[in-house]
C-alpha cells in the first residue's frame, strides 16, 4: 500500500533555532499533503494543507510565518518550525491521500 | 464537517471481540465512514471504510446501521497490539484531496 515517510522521527533543539521536518510520499504522487500537530493525550489538530507548487493553506490560529511549509515536488513537503520555543514542543504528523489517508510516523519535537 | 461521537475509552479482554461504536446522526448521503487507529507514538493508520453496506477486511469489520446514523468497528479477536486510539471520521464521497478532521476518538485498552 501507499507509504508516507517522515523524518526525523525525533528531534531536540535549542530555543530560538529552526527545525525542518520532511514528509515524502514514497510510491505515489501527492499534490496535497497535510500537517497535523498533536499534544499528549489529545487528538490530531490540522495545522495546514500543503499544495504542490503553490502556497500552503493554514488553519485559523496557526502562524504561517512560524510554521513554514514548502511543497516543491509531487512527493515532498517540508515543515520548518522557525525560532522554536518550548511551547512548540509537540508531535508533528504529515499525511497524504492515496484513496484513503496515509500518515507519516510522526516527529517528536522537543525544544529546550 | 459532519460530526462523529465516540466513547472516550473502552476496555476489552485479550482474544475477545471488541465493538467500537460511533454515532454520526448528521451524516449526509454522500459521506463515507472511515476508521483510523493510532498506536502509541505513531501516526494514524487506515483501518476500514464504508458507505452503506457492511465491510470486512483483514484488520476489522465495519457494521453500518440501516439509517447510517451510527456504525460499529468490530475487531474479531483483540490482541495487545490492538491497543490504540480509534477514530471514526466522515469523508465526502468525492473526497479527492479533502483533509481528514479528527475527533477525540476512543482509547482502547486490551487487558491481558
Amino acid at each position: 500500500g501507499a507509504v508516507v515517510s517522515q523524518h526525523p522521527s525525533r528531534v531536540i533543539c535549542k530555543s530560538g533555532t529552526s527545525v525542518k521536518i520532511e514528509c515524502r510520499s514514497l510510491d505515489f504522487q501527492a499534490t496535497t499533503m497535510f500537517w497535523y500537530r498533536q499534544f499528549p493525550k489529545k487528538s490530531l489538530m490540522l495545522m495546514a494543507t500543503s499544495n504542490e507548487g503553490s502556497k500552503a493553506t493554514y488553519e485559523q490560529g496557526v502562524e504561517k510565518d512560524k510554521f513554514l511549509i514548502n511543497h516543491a515536488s509531487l512527493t515532498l513537503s517540508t515543515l520548518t518550525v522557525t525560532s522554536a520555543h518550548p511551547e512548540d514542543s509537540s508531535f508533528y504528523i504529515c499525511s497524504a491521500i492515496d484513496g484513503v489517508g496515509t500518515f507519516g510516523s510522526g516527529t517528536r519535537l522537543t525544544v529546550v | 464537517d459532519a460530526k462523529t461521537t465516540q466513547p472516550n475509552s473502552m476496555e476489552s479482554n485479550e482474544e475477545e471481540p471488541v465493538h467500537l461504536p460511533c454515532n454520526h446522526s448528521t451524516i449526509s448521503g454522500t459521506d463515507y465512514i472511515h476508521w483510523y487507529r493510532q498506536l502509541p507514538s505513531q501516526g494514524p493508520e487506515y483501518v476500514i471504510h464504508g458507505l452503506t453496506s457492511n465491510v470486512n477486511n483483514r484488520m476489522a469489520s465495519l457494521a453500518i446501521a440501516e439509517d447510517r446514523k451510527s456504525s460499529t468497528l468490530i475487531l474479531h479477536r483483540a490482541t495487545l497490539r490492538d491497543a490504540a486510539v480509534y477514530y471514526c471520521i466522515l469523508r465526502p464521497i468525492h473526497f479527492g484531496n479533502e483533509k481528514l478532521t479528527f475527533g477525540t476518538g476512543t482509547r482502547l485498552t486490551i487487558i491481558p
Side-chain angles (χ1 to χ4, degrees):
Chain A
V3 176
V4 169
S5 176
Q6 185 174 344
H7 292 281
S9 58
R10 187 179 296 268
V11 58
I12 301 173
C13 72
K14 290 186 177 181
S15 188
T17 62
S18 296
V19 174
K20 180 186 284 188
I21 303 170
E22 291 191 349
C23 181
R24 295 180 184 272
S25 56
L26 293 188
D27 45 8
F28 66 103
Q29 293 182 334
T31 56
T32 303
M33 291 186 177
F34 305 94
W35 287 95
Y36 295 84
R37 181 165 62 178
Q38 185 176 35
F39 292 107
K41 303 295 184 183
K42 299 293 185 182
S43 186
L44 284 77
M45 295 296 296
L46 181 68
M47 299 174 65
T49 302
S50 169
N51 302 299
E52 187 268 334
S54 65
K55 290 183 178 180
T57 305
Y58 290 82
E59 296 297 302
Q60 191 172 8
V62 177
E63 299 176 59
K64 62 180 182 181
D65 293 331
K66 180 167 189 63
F67 299 100
L68 299 180
I69 290 172
N70 184 278
H71 194 153
S73 79
L74 288 171
T75 59
L76 174 64
S77 175
T78 61
L79 168 68
T80 301
V81 183
T82 63
S83 186
H85 288 97
E87 57 264 33
D88 298 323
S89 298
S90 190
F91 192 51
Y92 293 86
I93 305 166
C94 69
S95 157
I97 306 294
D98 185 32
V100 297
T102 303
F103 293 80
S105 54
T107 297
R108 175 83 54 198
L109 170 63
T110 304
V111 185
V112 297
Chain B
D1 292 343
K3 186 176 171 57
T4 63
T5 304
Q6 300 176 253
N8 288 332
S9 62
M10 290 183 64
E11 287 186 349
S12 179
N13 294 319
E14 194 178 9
E15 300 186 4
E16 301 254 328
V18 182
H19 291 235
L20 297 162
C22 180
N23 287 320
H24 28 79
S25 58
T26 60
I27 190 172
S28 78
T30 56
D31 284 338
Y32 271 94
I33 302 159
H34 280 238
W35 283 81
Y36 292 79
R37 72 178 185 180
Q38 186 177 22
L39 302 173
S41 298
Q42 295 187 30
E45 63 174 341
Y46 166 79
V47 178
I48 199 167
H49 75 282
L51 185 63
T52 56
S53 303
N54 295 344
V55 185
N56 300 296
N57 67 19
R58 63 176 180 80
M59 289 182 71
S61 295
L62 177 59
I64 301 172
E66 195 168 336
D67 63 5
R68 301 209 326 124
K69 293 185 177 182
S70 66
S71 61
T72 302
L73 179 71
I74 302 167
L75 307 179
H76 293 286
R77 191 165 169 270
T79 70
L80 296 176
R81 288 176 295 180
D82 292 319
V85 179
Y86 287 78
Y87 297 97
C88 169
I89 299 172
L90 303 182
R91 293 193 72 208
I93 194 167
H94 299 296
F95 41 76
N97 285 323
E98 281 294 310
K99 61 188 178 185
L100 289 170
T101 301
F102 287 79
T104 54
T106 297
R107 184 174 299 275
L108 176 64
T109 301
I110 305 298
I111 302 168

